[in-house]
Amino acid sequence: MEVPQIKSNKINNQNFFSLSRQRYKVWTISGFAILISLIGLISSWLNPSIGLPLRAGLDFTGGTQIRLERKCQKECGLISTISISNALNDISDSNEGIPYQKLDGARIQFLDGYKSLLIRTPTLSAFESKKVIDSVVNIAGPFDEGGQSIETIGPTLGKKLLRTSLISLLVAFLLISTYISIRFDRKYAFLALLALSHDVIIVCGVFAWLGIFQNIEVNSLFAVALLTIAGYSVNDTVVVFDRVREINRSKINLSLKQKIDLAVSATLTRTLYTTGTTLLPLLALIFFGGTTLYWFAIALALGVIVGSWSSIALAPSLLSLSND
């Protein structure tokens, strides 16, 4: 990838962005974000209702998810989740009801300003799912027939999806490390992986807090988002490192900090333009992509912003430590 050239007068007049002077601020900001993220991940793990660093969705845990769209005139009326829960308990108490274990602890959530009702339970049969819908229609209905969806994933398939997602992430990290080690050296590879870990931890930390306070779950699309963020972050970091290496060969009289400042100045505009143009379609997905893609787009947008920060600020500033 072509990197913008630096004009010689910028070097002579020291007219370039001085990242090395701001590096302590960069480390403070990133360190604080990492700390908050780790606290979120640990809090989620210790939360009895979650028990994992992130609230796992249907893709990873298995079960049945029933989504119902309510017919409303202008605004949908507020309904307590307790009333829905009581209706589900009534099914278990009836003579031909669904076994209590299947509906005990069912997760009930209203979305889109109470326009949608989401019910998560252990795996139900088609007949049992219909009984659940019939039990809540008098409370939250009427429902739009075209907006009804029932999704069931077995626990074995859920565990398999979780395992393959984790393996995909580990393989991606390994391949990225190998690629940068071959193209640069171990020091650059270590810093690129550090920047990549920084991005992934912060994105996961934000979703851990969202899982605690907003019951937001992660699914297979979230794993796809993490893989995309990894590729984007490393691509940007490689461009900056490539520029540092080029300047390192041609400007031997400059200190390493000056070379890094020059490299960051040369790639800063490109990074900002790339980040801006990448965010535009993601914003379109956030506002018009619907609920299925909403959190996927949020994760990607967050990863792009954090990845740009780590590529242009964190990774180069850490590289300057080798000169201290």
Side-chain angles (χ1 to χ4, degrees):
M1 182 175 294
E2 186 178 353
V3 178
Q5 299 297 315
I6 302 173
K7 296 180 179 178
S8 58
N9 61 339
K10 286 188 175 182
I11 299 174
N12 296 331
N13 298 330
Q14 301 295 301
N15 184 22
F16 50 81
F17 177 71
S18 180
L19 174 67
S20 57
R21 293 181 182 175
Q22 309 295 329
R23 59 180 186 170
Y24 292 106
K25 293 181 181 177
V26 171
W27 297 341
T28 301
I29 294 171
S30 289
F32 182 73
I34 289 287
L35 178 63
I36 296 297
S37 300
L38 290 176
I39 292 174
L41 292 167
I42 294 172
S43 301
S44 176
W45 203 335
L46 298 178
N47 191 314
S49 66
I50 302 176
L52 291 170
L54 294 165
R55 187 182 285 276
L58 185 71
D59 290 4
F60 298 143
T61 61
T64 296
Q65 176 174 284
I66 302 172
R67 186 185 181 98
L68 303 167
E69 299 288 337
R70 301 174 63 198
K71 284 183 178 178
C72 306
Q73 294 298 326
K74 291 182 179 179
E75 294 184 358
C76 293
L78 305 182
I79 299 174
S80 168
T81 56
I82 296 176
S83 58
I84 302 293
S85 180
N86 290 336
L88 297 182
N89 290 334
D90 290 341
I91 306 177
S92 299
D93 293 336
S94 61
N95 293 332
E96 298 180 353
I98 303 172
Y100 183 76
Q101 295 81 0
K102 289 191 175 183
L103 296 180
D104 181 31
R107 292 194 52 231
I108 301 161
Q109 191 175 7
F110 285 98
L111 305 173
D112 303 329
Y114 285 84
K115 292 180 181 175
S116 302
L117 171 61
L118 196 68
I119 301 175
R120 281 275 310 277
T121 67
T123 305
L124 300 177
S125 65
F127 175 73
E128 291 170 334
S129 298
K130 186 177 183 306
K131 291 196 75 172
V132 168
I133 297 173
D134 291 342
S135 69
V136 299
V137 69
N138 292 330
I139 302 172
F143 299 121
D144 185 352
E145 294 184 2
Q148 174 180 310
S149 69
I150 302 173
E151 184 180 3
T152 299
I153 295 180
T156 304
L157 179 59
K159 290 179 181 177
K160 185 178 180 181
L161 282 173
L162 178 60
R163 185 170 61 253
T164 53
S165 298
L166 292 175
I167 291 174
S168 300
L169 285 172
L170 290 175
V171 170
F173 273 52
L174 180 63
L175 292 177
I176 288 170
S177 174
T178 304
Y179 164 72
I180 299 178
S181 297
I182 294 173
R183 182 166 179 180
F184 296 97
D185 58 30
R186 291 181 180 177
K187 178 176 66 179
Y188 284 85
F190 173 74
L191 292 178
L193 283 177
L194 199 63
L196 175 58
S197 302
H198 163 275
D199 304 341
V200 171
I201 289 173
I202 290 177
V203 173
C204 289
V206 170
F207 274 79
W209 284 115
L210 286 171
I212 294 173
F213 292 111
Q214 297 294 324
N215 294 326
I216 302 302
E217 300 173 339
V218 298
N219 53 23
S220 52
L221 279 179
F222 183 76
V224 174
L226 290 184
L227 289 172
T228 308
I229 291 167
Y232 180 87
S233 173
V234 168
N235 177 61
D236 244 14
T237 305
V238 165
V239 169
V240 177
F241 282 175
D242 209 24
R243 191 60 179 154
V244 172
R245 187 173 61 172
E246 183 182 327
I247 294 173
N248 200 33
R249 287 197 296 258
S250 59
K251 309 293 181 185
I252 57 176
N253 294 327
L254 296 177
S255 67
L256 179 59
K257 289 181 180 177
Q258 288 175 311
K259 293 170 184 173
I260 292 171
D261 288 346
L262 278 172
V264 172
S265 297
T267 54
L268 182 60
T269 303
R270 170 202 169 277
T271 300
L272 293 178
Y273 284 158
T274 304
T275 302
T277 51
T278 306
L279 286 176
L280 289 177
L282 293 178
L283 288 174
L285 274 180
I286 290 171
F287 288 110
F288 306 109
T291 53
T292 304
L293 296 176
Y294 180 79
W295 290 110
F296 169 68
I298 289 287
L300 273 182
L302 180 63
V304 167
I305 294 171
V306 177
S308 299
W309 166 263
S310 68
S311 300
I312 207 69
L314 181 63
S317 64
L318 290 174
L319 184 61
S320 67
L321 278 174
S322 60
N323 196 39
D324 290 343

